[in-house]
Amino acid sequence: MNRSERIHQALNAVFAPEHLEVIDESEQHRGHAGYQDGGESHFRVIIRAPQFADMSRIARHRAVHKALGADLVSEIHALALEISG
């Protein structure tokens, strides 16, 4: 299972979101710090789930990072989050 699939699976399991997109933007960063051959280093996640409605922006980000787990987060160079409730 690649990182995109692992991100999708982890967020689906914890939040059962109404909307979830995991976009690998790695190719846009070719030649920049953190780029890895084959991609899977820079991601954008767009997620909408009711659990986020009453959370602050920081709490939302922390919840997503916790759901992904330290091991997976450490494998990702950049993670852009668009979170709504």
Side-chain angles (χ1 to χ4, degrees):
M1 183 180 320
N2 65 30
R3 287 185 191 132
S4 294
E5 293 166 337
R6 290 169 54 204
I7 292 168
H8 198 278
Q9 183 178 33
L11 296 177
N12 238 349
V14 173
F15 301 111
E18 297 167 349
H19 179 81
L20 176 60
E21 291 179 60
V22 179
I23 305 159
D24 184 351
E25 297 182 334
S26 302
E27 198 54 39
Q28 298 172 19
H29 299 275
R30 181 178 288 276
H32 299 158
Y35 176 81
Q36 301 167 6
D37 286 332
E40 298 272 299
S41 59
H42 295 70
F43 292 94
R44 176 171 304 279
V45 170
I46 303 168
I47 185 170
R48 182 176 61 246
Q51 298 94 313
F52 296 124
D54 295 328
M55 291 183 181
S56 69
R57 182 172 180 251
I58 292 172
R60 290 174 178 184
H61 282 245
R62 286 180 179 157
V64 167
H65 279 253
K66 182 178 178 182
L68 295 177
D71 290 342
L72 181 53
V73 170
S74 72
E75 296 175 19
I76 299 168
H77 178 74
L79 180 61
L81 299 174
E82 297 178 29
I83 306 170
S84 61

